[in-house]
Amino acid sequence: MARQLDEQIAGRFPVGRRLRVLDVGMGHGTRALRLARAGHQVTGLERDAALTAAARRALAGEPEGIRERMRIIEGDGRDTGVHFLPGSFDVVLCHGVLMYTEEPDPLLAGLARMLAQGGLLSLLVRNGDALAMRPGLAGDWSGALAAFDGVSCRDREGLEVRADRLATLTAKLAGIGAPLHSWYGVRVLTDTAADGTVPPKDLTALLAAEERAGRTDPYRGVAGLLHLCGVRGR
């Protein structure tokens, strides 16, 4: 995800430009901190109080310059219009949030409104076109058959989550004025790894294989997750 996002930012904005970034559903703040360390002005929005507190603790351990470039707001991603003016950000991230949102359309529209002209919207969603892959590869044939027509699955914590299909989200992004520019697969080769699997000491080959698969057809189409990048029309 980080490499894919870096590629999109580098291809859209001048080198050295300090971007205004909004991370909706920032979790522990890992993505937001990474971008703040890179010199960008970052706002993290998170509704979970425990996650917000964890992000604040992580930020407190950073050098002063980074602390000054990042702010954290406790709030719901559906209320972006309450916190910010339209067009306030060059980059808006919403990773792993839509899958927990029953009605994603208002959230998507709000995210698009936050983008300045030419701004980048980065979404990470559960791939609805590949829901049968995990149960099928695990030998759960009835689960695989049900998944072909399903719109949800269970995440690694056992929670039921929504899935989105590429064609549907492509149409929605066009409808909110941030048409799809690029897309990648995420967890193409590793989505079926068992919980508790110990990663190899040298991740270089694993990451290279995942990165290659995530941008190559037909592999990216069966990824567990999809990374979609839309661009706000000028």
Side-chain angles (χ1 to χ4, degrees):
M1 280 291 297
R3 295 181 185 187
Q4 294 164 359
L5 185 60
D6 286 348
E7 178 179 78
Q8 291 299 313
I9 289 176
R12 178 141 302 276
F13 302 102
V15 175
R17 177 176 167 182
R18 178 172 292 187
L19 302 174
R20 302 164 298 167
V21 180
L22 174 64
D23 187 356
V24 175
M26 68 170 181
H28 292 89
T30 303
R31 296 178 303 269
L33 272 173
R34 180 177 174 275
L35 290 167
R37 291 176 188 134
H40 303 302
Q41 197 74 35
V42 183
T43 299
L45 184 65
E46 173 58 57
R47 68 178 181 178
D48 186 287
L51 291 176
T52 302
R56 292 187 190 281
R57 289 193 298 270
L59 180 60
E62 295 290 326
E64 181 180 357
I66 295 175
R67 295 199 304 271
E68 291 175 348
R69 287 196 296 272
M70 183 171 165
R71 60 173 172 159
I72 296 173
I73 298 174
E74 188 173 330
D76 196 301
R78 293 169 293 187
D79 299 327
T80 50
V82 175
H83 300 289
F84 317 109
L85 293 174
S88 295
F89 299 95
D90 304 301
V91 178
V92 174
L93 312 179
C94 186
H95 295 170
V97 175
L98 289 186
M99 60 187 72
Y100 298 103
T101 306
E102 290 186 13
E103 297 293 337
D105 290 2
L107 173 59
L108 282 172
L111 298 177
R113 282 194 295 270
M114 295 301 102
L115 283 172
Q117 289 187 346
L120 176 69
L121 174 61
S122 172
L123 304 174
L124 181 69
V125 303
R126 171 61 64 179
N127 184 6
D129 293 321
L131 292 180
M133 290 297 294
R134 187 185 288 177
L137 291 174
D140 176 8
W141 309 120
S142 60
L145 285 170
F148 280 111
D149 299 315
V151 293
S152 66
C153 63
R154 293 199 177 275
D155 65 10
R156 292 180 181 272
E157 283 71 46
L159 298 175
E160 186 168 333
V161 297
R162 282 185 53 261
D164 289 286
R165 298 187 183 276
L166 178 61
T168 302
L169 269 183
T170 298
K172 288 182 178 181
L173 288 173
I176 60 176
L180 184 67
H181 174 69
S182 301
W183 69 278
Y184 307 86
V186 176
R187 293 209 323 232
V188 181
L189 305 174
T190 58
D191 192 53
T192 56
D195 292 342
T197 298
V198 178
K201 292 181 179 179
D202 182 5
L203 291 173
T204 303
L206 184 155
L207 292 174
E210 275 288 344
E211 185 176 14
R212 179 76 177 269
R215 63 176 67 247
T216 304
D217 291 323
Y219 305 103
R220 63 177 180 165
V222 296
L225 304 168
L226 296 179
H227 180 198
L228 285 75
C229 300
V231 175
R232 183 72 177 177
R234 295 186 182 276

